[in-house]
Amino acid sequence: MNIFPTKEQEFKLIDDQSETINRLNRRTEKSENLTSQFTDKSFLGVINGNEFKIISSVIGKGAFCVMTGKIDSESGNVKVEIHKIFRVLLSIFLCFPVIGFIALSVTGANGFSPIMILVMILQILMIRYVFIGLAFKFISRESLNRLRDVLDLEWIKN
């Protein structure tokens, strides 16, 4: 079980490789550190030959997902994962139920109950699968759709 979700997607190019890479270069603001900033381009990131590492330029939620991929002659692939900074923040957020359980156990406010352990586990699972999972699902879908529109490609069903 992964703590943080990832998504890998393969695609087929409609145009040739050079045209697709040229289109990606035109719509990407060069940025080494992948942080959100105001720009009129669709993406921020780095493109090295036929490989790329980009984020969406949407302010607020664009930096949540990092897309890394490779564009081959007729096809390519892209891997979407949560940005490292957000992984650190979400790891801290995932630790809150454990910290609350420890605090309740040490202070002895309600006495120890095995139900508290079950509640802690359910809270961690809810944070992971409801909050983090759904946020990743929607934001990654939006980023991949933006990539599809810019590069003019078709997704290959897995």
Side-chain angles (χ1 to χ4, degrees):
M1 180 180 101
N2 293 335
I3 295 176
F4 298 108
T6 61
K7 185 186 289 189
E8 292 191 40
Q9 191 79 37
E10 292 186 18
F11 55 85
K12 184 178 84 167
L13 300 178
I14 294 176
D15 289 331
D16 61 339
Q17 179 186 19
S18 61
E19 177 65 31
T20 304
I21 292 172
N22 185 26
R23 191 177 296 132
L24 183 61
N25 275 320
R26 281 189 317 228
R27 299 297 302 155
T28 303
E29 182 82 27
K30 305 300 181 240
S31 175
E32 291 286 331
N33 49 6
L34 299 178
T35 56
S36 288
Q37 50 187 290
F38 290 105
T39 182
D40 59 342
K41 307 228 176 164
S42 298
F43 299 106
L44 298 154
V46 179
I47 302 168
N48 293 324
N50 65 342
E51 296 180 356
F52 60 89
K53 186 172 186 176
I54 56 177
I55 62 170
S56 177
S57 65
V58 176
I59 299 294
K61 58 185 176 181
F64 188 75
C65 293
V66 176
M67 296 180 285
T68 56
K70 185 175 184 179
I71 301 172
D72 296 325
S73 60
E74 294 180 6
S75 64
N77 61 358
V78 63
K79 181 178 181 182
V80 184
E81 53 192 358
I82 297 175
H83 198 289
K84 289 179 184 177
I85 299 299
F86 285 101
R87 278 190 267 173
V88 170
L89 292 172
L90 293 172
S91 296
I92 294 168
F93 190 58
L94 278 169
C95 290
F96 283 162
V98 176
I99 293 168
F101 173 75
I102 292 171
L104 281 175
S105 297
V106 170
T107 60
N110 295 335
F112 180 77
S113 173
I115 299 296
M116 288 183 357
I117 296 173
L118 179 64
V119 169
M120 176 191 67
I121 292 171
L122 289 175
Q123 286 174 341
I124 291 171
L125 291 175
M126 186 173 171
I127 290 169
R128 164 53 180 94
Y129 289 103
V130 175
F131 297 125
I132 297 173
L134 286 177
F136 178 77
K137 180 180 179 181
F138 291 123
I139 295 173
S140 67
R141 183 186 311 151
E142 187 177 310
S143 296
L144 286 172
N145 285 339
R146 182 177 273 228
L147 183 69
R148 183 194 67 214
D149 291 342
V150 168
L151 297 186
D152 196 25
L153 50 88
E154 292 179 8
W155 300 120
I156 297 174
K157 304 259 187 222
N158 292 338

